[in-house]
Amino acid sequence: MDIIKTQVVDTKYDELWSDSSALVGNMPVKPVLIIVNNYDAGGIEEIQLKKMLDACKLTPQQYNILQLSERQMVAWHQLRDQLQPDIIFLIGVLPSQLGVSALFSLNSANSFDGKTWLPTLSINELEKNQDIKKQLWINGMKPVLVDNPLLTTSRP
């Protein structure tokens, strides 16, 4: 479907006008939205992601995980309206895949659209580079996901 007919805007952005309800399904509203590259159930990436979330002492009641393929796009405004997250943790997913044209600092908190964004490399890339993984923990995950009063008050 060609919505925008111009040489300036690539037709791949038409996908941002598609309804994201099928992708989101019946996910409830939770404070943290984790958007990550697709991974196999029970695979290494899923295990590493679980370890990362456990290190932050996050419970499944605090987050939704949305998996996107490498070039898949979904409109941020639809995710925002449907899931109402306060924190968006992008793991290997580019903001442009959400139709967001903003320059974020990797591995640290960024403010955009009244939300806190934490972008980082893919799980595989993090595993290959321990210095970046450490930077993510110190500058990003600890202040945003561990020491955040919004999340600590909702922990059991």
Side-chain angles (χ1 to χ4, degrees):
M1 165 172 50
D2 269 343
I3 295 175
I4 302 174
K5 295 178 186 346
T6 176
Q7 298 288 331
V8 179
V9 180
D10 194 298
T11 57
K12 70 180 181 181
Y13 292 103
D14 289 347
E15 195 172 340
L16 294 173
W17 276 265
S18 299
D19 185 16
S20 65
S21 297
L23 183 64
V24 172
N26 58 356
M27 288 183 184
V29 171
K30 295 182 182 180
V32 179
L33 174 59
I34 301 159
I35 307 176
V36 63
N37 293 329
N38 278 341
Y39 54 80
D40 295 327
I44 294 169
E45 290 105 343
E46 183 180 36
I47 293 167
Q48 289 302 324
L49 177 59
K50 176 135 177 56
K51 286 180 184 178
M52 291 167 66
L53 300 176
D54 288 346
C56 295
K57 298 183 174 112
L58 290 177
T59 65
Q61 294 76 26
Q62 294 175 301
Y63 60 83
N64 284 310
I65 297 175
L66 183 65
Q67 295 182 47
L68 296 181
S69 62
E70 187 178 328
R71 300 207 191 285
Q72 185 177 3
M73 297 180 78
V74 62
W76 158 243
H77 67 91
Q78 290 185 34
L79 296 177
R80 178 196 62 211
D81 295 347
Q82 292 173 9
L83 300 175
Q84 303 172 21
D86 296 309
I87 299 167
I88 299 85
F89 191 9
L90 298 177
I91 305 174
V93 174
L94 299 173
S96 60
Q97 288 179 253
L98 306 177
V100 172
S101 296
L103 184 60
F104 291 146
S105 296
L106 279 179
N107 304 319
S108 60
N110 296 267
S111 183
F112 177 79
D113 196 19
K115 312 292 181 188
T116 301
W117 295 68
L118 179 56
T120 192
L121 303 174
S122 70
I123 294 172
N124 288 333
E125 289 298 317
L126 288 171
E127 287 306 306
K128 293 177 189 174
N129 194 326
Q130 293 303 310
D131 290 338
I132 293 176
K133 193 173 181 180
K134 183 177 179 182
Q135 179 188 29
L136 172 62
W137 175 254
I138 293 169
N139 298 332
M141 291 170 63
K142 188 166 183 331
V144 174
L145 300 172
V146 177
D147 299 336
N148 189 330
L150 170 75
L151 297 175
T152 54
T153 56
S154 64
R155 290 191 178 123

